Amino acid sequence: MKRFSACCFTSRVSKSHSHSKPNHPQIMMGNVSSPSKSRATNIIINHDFSGGLDSWHPNFCQGYVVSAKSGSQGKMSMVSKSNYAVVTDRKECWQGLEQDITDKISTGSTYEVSACVGVCGLPQGSADVLATLKLEYRDSATSYLFIGRTSAIEASWAKVKGKFSLSTMPDRVVFYLEGPAPGVDLLIQSVEIICSNQNDHNSASTDCDAPGDDNIIINPTFDDGLNNWSGRGCKIALHNSMADGKILPQTGKVFASATERTQSWNGIQQEITGRVQRKLAYEVTALVRIYGNNVTSADVRATLWVQTPDLREQYIGIANVQATDKDWVQMQGKFLLNGSQSKVVVYLEGPPPGTEILVNTLVLKHAAKTPPSTPPDFQNAPFGINVIENSNLADGTKGWFPLGNCTLSVGTGSPHIIPSMARDSLGLHEPLSGRYILVSNRTQTWMGPAQIITDKLKLFLTYQVSAWVRIGSGSSGPQNVNVALGVDDQWVNGGQVEVADDRWHEIGGSFRIEKQPSKVMVYIQGPASGVDLMVAGLQIFPVDRQARFRHLRKQTDKVRKRDVILKFSGLDTSSYLGTLVKVRQTQNNFPIGSCVNRTNIDNEDFVDFFVKHFNWAVFGNELKWYWTEPQQGNFNYKDADDMLALCVKNKIETRGHCIFWDVDGTVQQWIKSLGKDDLMKAVQNRLNGLLTRYKGKFRHYDVNNEMMHGSFYQDRLGKDIRSNMFKTAHQLDPSATLFVNDYHVEDGCDTRSSPEKYIQHVLDLQEQGAPVGGMGIQGHIDSPVGPIVSSALDKLGILGLPIWFTELDVSSTNEYVRADDLEVMMREAFAHPTVEGIMLWGFWELFMSRNDSHLVNAEGDINEAGKRFLALKQEWLSHSHGHVDEQGQFSFRGFHGTYNVEVVTLSKKISKTFVVDQGDSPLVVSVDL
């Protein structure tokens, strides 16, 4: 259930009695679907105010009704086809309009609520309007239950929707509407409450102009010409055909075009201010294509331009598609607005100037909730069973075929042992045969041995890949060898290794298939044409993750726990045996943090989850150079300042991500245009400006992000620039630990950032005097396998530097599989002694860099992955209880962190807080009674 906070709840606390009643009614809340077409009774009397305020009562304020016939009156400028109530002279946000519904409801039934509301006298932005139940009892405190909420703006109707069910019946039940700040008038056009589980029911018409679950776009198919549409920096036109009749609408009779475009951001737009609400997920669907300027294919994007009440501007990408000049294509996407908005515009953009954007339809609706996943059935999964036929080559090359015009033969002399990463997964197993496939006459890099394994794979199972590979002579430099899968028309990476000599090399990787394929082929490829390839002992088998978890729990106990002896004094020996001890851990010392974006902190539900479950933060974009200085000399530190203030307030530590980013595509155009001397000066200014401003504020800095995958600054300024960045950063803020940070270090699928190359990268920097203090592994990983991750950590640990997973996310369409993936990564990190922290790269849907990676759905519901995350955090807290022994001691073994001990003797109760740090010997804590 989501947490909602509003000022009216705070005001209400002081009005409640000091004691509470057990078994209070429970409430179910959330958006409700449109009622069915059969008839039901609205239990609200005078629901449309046709009888004035009959049966309604202003709650310690004033109210009156504006007649539809009289039109707007005074400051009331709302357009309405029917009467509406005005609640005015409001001194508190909880003041509103109420109606007693006690004798109209019963326990066990579910009631759907819908109200059409507005506000008047709002200086700017939006105001929340809430539907609430007041439940009164003769012998205990009055209870207030939230039903629904909407954001309303001046001169526009909005709809509050929700539902409730009572498990026990109070003495009095009052429904009321409340919420806007004091001084703001609350307007109510209609209210309905219907029993949704009646056999024969229907929604009474509310005649509300608010969109509700209907299309928010007005004139979405251009049946009304171009009304409500306009050009964003360009002209728009209406067509029934184009290009001599070759372009016709796919649906309806007409379509629109954005023409005379001189910028990529020019396009067709519609203002939707007041028609979208904060903290609700919306889905956009459009039919688009392009035309003209000899462009046959281009990216078309749907974007929101949002202006907040404090005049902050946001551009939110909500959908994109590769459109062509040949046919209409459908574009789909989702978005959610966290904060209040004073203006919202949706528009299409993207193709190069001169190319027209054609739009047939554009629909924007409240997004339907994704049905919950069902757990895959792994009960009889063939864990550890190799799906490769004739892997040991006892039958020659039977089951294998050459991909391309190469030649397969069998040789002897390969390793007899399975590669180490597979040994860790398989447990007991047979040794390898020592035979290998020799691939010769290779004329293309993709040529190699192959098998069809379509019928041997199960959906949602994670498969580990393992093999020995070697290359023949004749290569010029290191060669990349890859186990690949052709899944229908898609290439899937099963693992890669770089080979630079004539030794056998271990290759390891993993994959998972989540949609039923028609054909799956596995093949080994990579070396240059003319270079022979040798493959031995190829293993592809599903991984038993639960068995790995059992191993990791034991490892975790060794790495993250310590024996503790509580030694008591102050009582005689005879009194100890009756003394009760309760030990409860309040916080684990192991840092677990998350990425946060500036817009997230406008959503109180997001902030509540974040501060409750994370103790570290990293900013997604707001500290990056392209954000803080998008144009030279034009600085924006306000977003980072706001986020840092939230973290400081909630005692959350922060990582500084990042000072520089070495990948060319992430560098601002103004930086790219600088000459060498000016670029060097700009780099120095960036270091001085950022680290001086935030000295002592960020515990870590990623100094130059992704140096294994980019080299912009090194190419322009020479090799020394990288070490100089570290040296200067350390001089400016000696308190910060300086990190390298890169991706695909831990998963075996990228030879550019293998553990061996990452180690050499750090050694090269240290040799130049760079004070590298930590190694960041980003952790954007697919289908993780524990032994592969652990192997990488073992290798990196040789440097003795702290290792953090700095940007961890996992992705699966199935929430249970996603939960398993997350558990794999968190347990591997927590069980490994070199890892000192985990940062998730976000947790809230629509604010993640990858789809299907969130823990909390857009509107605040925790999914299975989120539940698994919370369960792991709870598992990593130690609790113990018992009695003091005759030596005056109480012993337990617990995770490192902060504890509270409560000691109860016959005469008193004593509490004490203590901290369990790392250590090999037992920690002795003295407690004076």
Side-chain angles (χ1 to χ4, degrees):
M1 186 176 288
K2 290 184 272 187
R3 172 191 180 273
F4 296 88
S5 60
C7 60
C8 48
F9 293 163
T10 305
S11 304
R12 208 180 279 133
V13 171
S14 61
K15 300 192 292 178
S16 299
H17 300 324
S18 59
H19 56 283
S20 60
K21 180 183 178 68
N23 300 321
H24 275 167
Q26 297 175 347
I27 184 166
M28 298 186 297
M29 57 195 180
N31 294 320
V32 295
S33 57
S34 300
S36 65
K37 296 296 182 183
S38 52
R39 190 73 187 164
T41 303
N42 185 1
I43 69 173
I44 291 291
I45 300 174
N46 188 25
H47 74 279
D48 58 0
F49 303 99
S50 56
L53 285 179
D54 181 45
S55 300
W56 290 98
H57 302 283
N59 190 357
F60 297 99
C61 51
Q62 303 297 318
Y64 61 91
V65 172
V66 174
S67 169
K69 297 178 181 179
S70 64
S72 60
Q73 293 185 353
K75 64 178 181 177
M76 297 300 152
S77 58
M78 294 290 281
V79 176
S80 177
K81 301 173 186 176
S82 59
N83 297 352
Y84 62 89
V86 180
V87 186
T88 188
D89 196 23
R90 299 175 60 254
K91 303 293 193 300
E92 302 283 350
C93 56
W94 49 264
Q95 292 176 343
L97 203 60
E98 66 179 36
Q99 185 172 139
D100 190 328
I101 58 171
T102 310
D103 58 351
K104 299 181 182 64
I105 61 172
S106 59
T107 59
S109 294
T110 300
Y111 296 88
E112 296 180 357
V113 177
S114 179
C116 191
V117 298
V119 292
C120 183
L122 189 66
Q124 60 180 358
S126 62
D128 284 347
V129 178
L130 292 81
T132 309
L133 281 188
K134 179 166 63 174
L135 309 173
E136 297 180 355
Y137 302 87
R138 290 192 184 92
D139 57 351
S140 71
T142 296
S143 178
Y144 296 84
L145 296 181
F146 170 86
I147 299 173
R149 177 211 309 263
T150 190
S151 292
I153 64 170
E154 191 84 15
S156 181
W157 294 108
K159 188 172 284 187
V160 182
K161 303 183 80 174
K163 58 184 176 181
F164 67 90
S165 177
L166 302 180
S167 58
T168 60
M169 193 63 194
D171 298 306
R172 186 166 181 259
V173 182
V174 178
F175 169 83
Y176 69 104
L177 293 159
E178 56 168 336
V184 177
D185 291 347
L186 172 60
L187 315 182
I188 308 167
Q189 189 183 71
S190 59
V191 181
E192 66 175 25
I193 301 178
I194 61 172
C195 181
S196 62
N197 50 1
Q198 289 178 353
N199 291 329
D200 200 25
H201 74 273
N202 178 41
S203 164
S205 174
T206 61
D207 192 30
C208 181
D209 299 326
D213 287 333
D214 297 329
N215 189 8
I216 284 162
I217 297 296
I218 300 173
N219 188 25
T221 57
F222 307 100
D223 293 336
D224 194 19
L226 294 174
N227 284 339
N228 294 98
W229 294 96
S230 62
R232 190 173 185 86
C234 62
K235 295 182 179 180
I236 59 173
L238 191 69
H239 310 268
N240 53 27
S241 70
M242 285 179 68
D244 298 326
K246 295 178 182 177
I247 300 178
L248 298 170
Q250 181 170 309
T251 182
K253 298 180 180 179
V254 293
F255 59 90
S257 69
T259 187
E260 298 185 30
R261 299 175 61 251
T262 60
Q263 303 288 334
S264 63
W265 54 265
N266 295 158
I268 188 169
Q269 66 178 6
Q270 183 170 137
E271 183 174 347
I272 55 174
T273 309
R275 285 180 263 151
V276 287
Q277 302 173 27
R278 64 188 291 256
K279 301 198 296 185
L280 285 184
Y282 293 92
E283 184 172 43
V284 64
T285 306
L287 279 175
V288 298
R289 65 190 292 173
I290 59 172
Y291 176 73
N293 200 29
N294 295 319
V295 177
T296 59
S297 177
D299 193 39
V300 174
R301 300 188 297 273
T303 305
L304 282 187
W305 175 78
V306 179
Q307 187 179 59
T308 60
D310 61 359
L311 303 184
R312 186 196 304 266
E313 291 186 342
Q314 299 171 359
Y315 291 88
I316 303 171
I318 56 177
N320 69 84
V321 71
Q322 195 68 24
T324 72
D325 63 346
K326 299 293 188 294
D327 207 350
W328 296 98
V329 294
Q330 187 178 74
M331 174 171 61
Q332 284 186 299
K334 285 184 175 182
F335 70 91
L336 176 140
L337 298 174
N338 286 299
S340 301
Q341 323 93 35
S342 58
K343 194 170 184 181
V344 185
V345 175
V346 61
Y347 66 98
L348 301 183
E349 59 170 335
T355 303
E356 296 188 24
I357 304 174
L358 312 186
V359 192
N360 193 185
T361 64
L362 198 153
V363 174
L364 200 162
K365 292 186 175 183
H366 179 218
K369 287 188 180 292
T370 304
S373 303
T374 56
D377 182 9
F378 296 155
Q379 189 169 359
N380 298 314
F383 294 125
I385 304 300
N386 190 8
V387 305
I388 296 297
E389 180 184 351
N390 190 25
S391 175
N392 66 3
L393 305 175
D395 296 326
T397 58
K398 181 184 176 182
W400 297 90
F401 63 89
L403 186 63
N405 297 320
C406 55
T407 303
L408 305 186
S409 59
V410 176
T412 58
S414 60
H416 287 267
I417 59 170
I418 285 179
S420 59
M421 290 183 284
R423 289 201 301 272
D424 289 343
S425 293
L426 288 172
L428 293 174
H429 57 271
E430 295 292 326
L432 299 180
S433 67
R435 291 182 286 270
Y436 63 87
I437 296 178
L438 172 63
V439 191
S440 53
N441 301 320
R442 300 177 62 256
T443 58
Q444 299 289 337
T445 59
W446 48 265
M447 289 183 178
Q451 281 195 22
I452 302 298
I453 57 173
T454 314
D455 298 333
K456 300 176 182 179
L457 301 178
K458 292 185 178 295
L459 296 185
F460 293 109
L461 266 181
T462 299
Y463 288 85
Q464 184 169 350
V465 177
S466 175
W468 291 109
V469 294
R470 180 180 170 185
I471 61 172
S473 60
S475 63
S476 57
Q479 301 292 306
N480 185 40
V481 180
N482 167 228
V483 177
L485 294 102
V487 182
D488 294 334
D489 296 327
Q490 182 184 6
W491 174 77
V492 174
N493 189 350
Q496 297 186 65
V497 67
E498 187 177 87
V499 181
D501 51 39
D502 61 356
R503 294 182 298 112
W504 287 96
H505 289 259
E506 176 182 4
I507 190 168
S510 63
F511 68 91
R512 181 171 57 235
I513 297 175
E514 300 195 349
K515 291 183 180 179
Q516 187 61 53
S518 58
K519 180 181 178 182
V520 180
M521 177 179 67
V522 60
Y523 58 103
I524 298 89
Q525 60 163 356
S529 60
V531 178
D532 289 349
L533 171 63
M534 288 160 267
V535 181
L538 177 63
Q539 302 266 329
I540 295 180
F541 57 90
V543 178
D544 186 351
R545 289 172 154 182
Q546 295 304 317
R548 180 71 179 177
F549 293 162
R550 289 192 289 273
H551 162 74
L552 291 174
R553 288 188 183 96
K554 296 176 183 176
Q555 182 68 15
T556 297
D557 187 274
K558 298 176 185 176
V559 174
R560 303 293 174 189
K561 282 186 173 183
R562 186 177 181 183
D563 290 325
V564 181
I565 301 171
L566 301 181
K567 199 167 187 177
F568 299 95
S569 60
L571 291 179
D572 59 73
T573 306
S574 60
S575 301
Y576 282 135
L577 296 178
T579 301
L580 178 65
V581 180
K582 294 181 181 179
V583 177
R584 184 171 187 83
Q585 187 173 9
T586 57
Q587 182 167 322
N588 193 302
N589 273 357
F590 188 82
I592 297 179
S594 175
C595 169
V596 183
N597 296 305
R598 171 57 186 85
T599 179
N600 294 143
I601 69 175
D602 293 328
N603 184 335
E604 55 268 34
D605 299 335
F606 179 100
V607 171
D608 180 61
F609 189 95
F610 170 61
V611 301
K612 188 174 181 180
H613 300 298
F614 298 97
N615 52 20
W616 276 69
V618 60
F619 305 165
N621 295 302
E622 290 78 2
L623 212 66
K624 292 171 181 169
W625 197 0
Y626 64 65
W627 193 280
T628 62
E629 194 179 3
Q631 290 85 37
Q632 189 169 15
N634 181 15
F635 294 99
N636 169 30
Y637 286 112
K638 187 178 188 314
D639 293 334
D641 289 347
D642 290 348
M643 298 166 74
L644 191 59
L646 175 74
C647 293
V648 171
K649 176 184 175 183
N650 291 282
K651 298 180 180 178
I652 292 173
E653 301 283 4
T654 48
R655 299 191 77 250
H657 177 78
C658 50
I659 305 175
F660 301 100
W661 196 349
D662 228 344
V663 176
D664 186 274
T666 67
V667 179
Q668 309 94 296
Q669 193 57 46
W670 71 263
I671 294 176
K672 291 182 176 181
S673 68
L674 299 176
K676 182 176 180 179
D677 290 344
D678 287 337
L679 177 58
M680 183 66 81
K681 184 178 179 181
V683 166
Q684 188 63 45
N685 288 341
R686 162 68 171 172
L687 286 161
N688 287 333
L690 184 73
L691 279 90
T692 302
R693 180 184 185 90
Y694 294 116
K695 186 174 182 178
K697 302 288 181 64
F698 291 98
R699 291 278 298 276
H700 298 171
Y701 278 106
D702 296 327
V703 176
N704 190 2
N705 198 38
E706 296 174 3
M707 289 182 279
M708 307 295 288
H709 291 88
S711 56
F712 172 82
Y713 296 100
Q714 181 172 270
D715 294 343
R716 299 290 187 94
L717 300 175
K719 184 179 180 181
D720 290 345
I721 188 60
R722 289 178 164 180
S723 59
N724 288 337
M725 288 172 173
F726 276 84
K727 293 173 187 176
T728 306
H730 180 67
Q731 291 167 1
L732 291 167
D733 190 350
S735 67
T737 304
L738 306 181
F739 274 71
V740 291
N741 192 51
D742 228 304
Y743 60 91
H744 285 329
V745 178
E746 77 293 342
D747 57 12
C749 72
D750 188 343
T751 56
R752 293 172 296 179
S753 52
S754 66
E756 292 81 4
K757 286 193 175 180
Y758 207 28
I759 290 168
Q760 190 58 52
H761 172 61
V762 173
L763 291 173
D764 289 345
L765 286 168
Q766 291 177 330
E767 192 174 305
Q768 297 173 64
V772 180
M775 302 183 74
I777 304 174
Q778 291 184 8
H780 303 293
I781 191 168
D782 295 307
S783 53
V785 170
I788 296 177
V789 174
S790 181
S791 174
L793 294 172
D794 288 345
K795 293 172 183 175
L796 297 176
I798 196 171
L799 294 178
L801 291 174
I803 297 173
W804 281 60
F805 280 98
T806 54
E807 304 180 17
L808 176 62
D809 59 19
V810 295
S811 177
S812 174
T813 56
N814 186 290
E815 294 172 11
Y816 292 88
V817 177
R818 192 186 317 160
D820 288 346
D821 283 357
L822 184 63
E823 184 171 358
V824 167
M825 296 304 295
M826 292 188 66
R827 285 198 186 277
E828 291 294 341
F830 196 57
H832 206 282
T834 63
V835 178
E836 295 193 3
I838 300 172
M839 304 293 296
L840 302 188
W841 200 241
F843 58 88
W844 200 277
E845 186 183 14
L846 303 184
F847 298 94
M848 307 277 295
S849 61
R850 292 205 291 168
N851 293 331
D852 302 316
S853 58
H854 56 281
L855 313 186
V856 181
N857 299 340
E859 295 179 2
D861 303 309
I862 301 173
N863 61 30
E864 291 302 324
K867 292 173 184 175
R868 188 77 59 85
F869 168 76
L870 297 180
L872 282 171
K873 288 204 66 185
Q874 191 62 39
E875 179 184 323
W876 295 337
L877 293 174
S878 299
H879 308 303
S880 184
H881 67 276
H883 290 88
V884 177
D885 65 20
E886 54 193 17
Q887 281 79 40
Q889 297 180 354
F890 178 81
S891 301
F892 71 97
R893 184 169 176 81
F895 289 108
H896 307 143
T898 304
Y899 287 79
N900 178 262
V901 58
E902 185 179 272
V903 186
V904 182
T905 70
L906 294 175
S907 59
K908 56 187 172 181
K909 182 188 293 185
I910 296 173
S911 292
K912 179 183 176 71
T913 300
F914 62 95
V915 175
V916 177
D917 291 319
Q918 287 180 289
D920 296 327
S921 60
L923 174 70
V924 178
V925 179
S926 298
V927 181
D928 184 8
L929 300 178

